[in-house]
Amino acid sequence: VIARPVPDDDTPVWRHLVATLADAGRVGPDAIAPLRIEGPAGARRGLIVHAGSGGAGKRWPPERFAEVIEATARSTGVPVLLHQGPADREAVEALAARLTAPVELLVEPELPALAAALASARAYLGGDSGVSHLAAAVGAPSVILFPPAHLPRWTPWSPTARPIAASGGPDEVRRVTQALEDALTAASR
């Protein structure tokens, strides 16, 4: 299949990709469902956070991530795992420097291992990145922060993902924390 990765109009990217595959006879329009990947034992135990992104303009400020993580860890007791991809060291270091909550690092896992970790996560928090789309695709209860202009086009299709327009203001911390706590509560049912 050869097609443009992004539509020429304002169609959400996921709808464009499904339509492209449907036009090629590869999938039906109702074929979208979360991927099912078995994660490690003790599934749905922790919160995975990905603070990086392909572009600095798409990243939520590390101090805001830290505020949300600290509040969530305090209120839920959930263990926190910071994911660091090949281009994320700076973002992870900036976030880790602001945290007092204990965290573990998941540094540059192979894609199948990352997908399994996300599938077994109790919840996921991240910005506009491929990792966030992968979290949504494997059905992780996700809170995904988008620059407001990106949200209509890049929001994931997954019913387990909660996309939020976030520009980095301090007033957003309460809203994102509540969305993340809601995701964690839903995942524990």
Side-chain angles (χ1 to χ4, degrees):
V1 175
I2 298 173
R4 296 178 51 78
V6 178
D8 293 326
D9 58 16
D10 289 337
T11 300
V13 172
W14 74 266
R15 287 188 186 278
H16 166 72
L17 295 174
V18 170
T20 299
L21 292 172
D23 289 346
R26 304 289 176 148
V27 299
D30 59 344
I32 298 302
L35 298 172
R36 295 293 173 219
I37 298 174
E38 288 300 315
R44 301 235 180 254
R45 291 182 309 155
L47 166 64
I48 296 180
V49 178
H50 179 73
S53 182
K58 297 191 306 181
R59 289 186 201 137
W60 208 45
E63 59 274 12
R64 302 293 177 254
F65 266 113
E67 290 177 67
V68 170
I69 293 166
E70 294 283 346
T72 302
R74 247 189 334 271
S75 69
T76 66
V78 67
V80 179
L81 182 71
L82 298 181
H83 169 261
Q84 177 181 311
D88 301 326
R89 190 170 97 204
E90 181 182 309
V92 170
E93 287 176 353
L95 173 55
R98 290 168 169 82
L99 291 173
T100 60
V103 296
E104 292 184 43
L105 294 178
L106 178 61
V107 179
E108 298 185 34
E110 295 291 325
L111 188 59
L114 177 59
L118 291 166
S120 66
R122 191 162 151 210
Y124 169 83
L125 172 65
D128 183 4
S129 70
V131 174
S132 294
H133 286 281
L134 180 60
V138 299
S142 304
V143 175
I144 304 174
L145 312 170
F146 288 89
H150 292 199
L151 185 62
R153 188 165 210 182
W154 289 99
T155 190
W157 55 266
S158 175
T160 63
R162 168 121 186 246
I164 295 179
S167 56
D171 58 318
E172 294 171 344
V173 169
R174 185 179 90 313
R175 188 166 44 106
V176 173
T177 301
Q178 185 61 58
L180 188 55
E181 289 177 359
D182 291 349
L184 285 161
T185 299
S188 65
R189 288 186 198 142

